[in-house]
Each structure stands twice: as structure tokens, then as C-alpha cells.
Amino acid sequence: MPRTTEENERIRQLSIEKIRIAAMQLFINRGYYATSINDIAKQAGISKGLLYNYYSGKEELLSEMVNERINEVVEVMEGAKSIDTPSKQLEHIINGAIDNIQQNPEVHRFYLHLQTQPAADEELIKYSKLLIEENARLFELQCEIFERKGVDNPRQRSLYFSSVLQGIMYMISTYPQKFPIEELKKQIINEFCN
């Protein structure tokens, strides 16, 4: 019996997910440049031909992964925008960011590494810029939240908030088993949301 359109789409999505997971693992462990399409296909347990059926190459795969990461961050911010009070918006941002990093610390390290690429790296710098531009846009949304909260100098308070939150995210991604995540989450919520 032939497969249905829905079954074909499910299989397609599973293959794409296997490819992305394999690519992320390899990019983290070996680096982007040291990873070949052949390596990704082998790690994903699929043929190189099937991988090329979904992606024209490694850069297209990276591009899709970066856009997916941006969408995850935007989703947290959109969720925050839908909440009525600034304090609850900030709490939503804190929980979304920390929970995401706690679930995928190595992924955060990869995107942090990607954001710090040298400007001379023409292939990767465009993805670095995409992530940095999105972070700048989200910073402006945070500034609006602090402005509605009525704090003195909302831009400076937002910068401090971002610095503290990014520092916590970095520490979780670097030392996930040794970092008091819940205690620090409560502390940052107490400091910025009350």
C-alpha cells in the first residue's frame, strides 16, 4: 500500500530533524569547517544523496539552523509581549531563556561561538550578524518593558538585565551540572520582576 501524503511529510520531517541534530553535534564537537556533508549524513544515518535532497550544502543547513534559533528566541519574546504586566513579561523572558539553555546547553555554546566569529570569516559572519541583529531588536523590546515598568533609565536597566541573564545562560551552558540554576533563576526574578 502506498504511503499517504501525511506519512511522506512525517518521514521527511524526521529525516530533516535527524540531519539537524547530527549537524549540530558535529559542528559543536568538530567545528563548522572541519565537518563535511559526508560526516553529517553518516552521523544522521542517511545517505549523502538524501541529505542533498533536503539541503544544497552545509551552508544552507547552517542558515536554516540559525533561522530556527532566531525563531525560538522570537517565540519567547512574542510570548512575553502577550502578557499584560511588565514584571510578568520579564519573568517570562527569564524562564524561557534559562529553561531553553538548561535543556540544550551545548546548543547555546554553539550559537554563542557563532556570534563571536571574526569579521574576516565571510562565510560565517553573515550568520553571526543575523543573531546579533536579532539580539539588538530583542534588546529594544526589553527597553520598552522596562520603560513601562517605570524604572529610571530603562535602557541602562535593560542592559544590566541582559548582562545578568546572558551571564547566567553562559554559566549554565558551561557548567550545567555545577550551577545552582533554580536559585539564580529566583534571584534574577526577585531583582528585576518585583
Side-chain angles (χ1 to χ4, degrees), residues 27-160:
F27 291 165
I28 289 168
N29 294 325
R30 293 185 184 174
Y32 176 78
Y33 289 113
T35 300
S36 70
I37 282 291
N38 204 36
D39 295 332
I40 296 168
K42 187 175 179 180
Q43 178 85 8
I46 63 170
S47 70
K48 193 161 92 172
L50 181 59
L51 192 149
Y52 277 120
N53 191 41
Y54 298 118
Y55 298 101
S56 62
K58 189 168 62 169
E59 187 175 349
E60 183 184 5
L61 176 56
L62 178 62
S63 174
E64 189 173 293
M65 291 165 67
V66 167
N67 285 317
E68 184 178 307
R69 174 66 181 160
I70 288 171
N71 289 336
E72 288 172 359
V73 175
V74 167
E75 190 176 302
V76 169
M77 292 305 286
E78 292 299 319
K81 282 172 50 177
S82 71
I83 298 170
D84 292 336
T85 64
S87 292
K88 291 291 181 191
Q89 289 175 317
L90 292 171
E91 190 172 338
H92 180 81
I93 292 168
I94 292 165
N95 285 320
I98 291 176
D99 292 348
N100 182 282
I101 301 308
Q102 190 174 7
Q103 293 166 9
N104 301 298
E106 68 286 341
V107 172
H108 180 70
R109 283 195 311 271
F110 172 73
Y111 287 115
L112 185 61
H113 173 73
L114 191 59
Q115 288 178 69
T116 58
Q117 291 301 305
D121 189 333
E122 293 179 18
E123 190 172 351
L124 293 183
I125 195 66
K126 60 186 155 193
Y127 302 108
S128 174
K129 285 180 180 176
L130 279 174
L131 291 165
I132 291 167
E133 287 168 6
E134 187 58 29
N135 285 336
R137 190 181 76 77
L138 297 176
F139 175 76
E140 293 302 323
L141 292 173
Q142 279 178 199
C143 288
E144 291 171 18
I145 293 170
F146 280 105
E147 193 172 310
R148 284 194 309 279
K149 202 167 184 323
V151 302
D152 292 334
N153 200 341
R155 292 190 74 74
Q156 185 174 339
R157 188 69 173 160
S158 182
L159 182 59
Y160 176 58

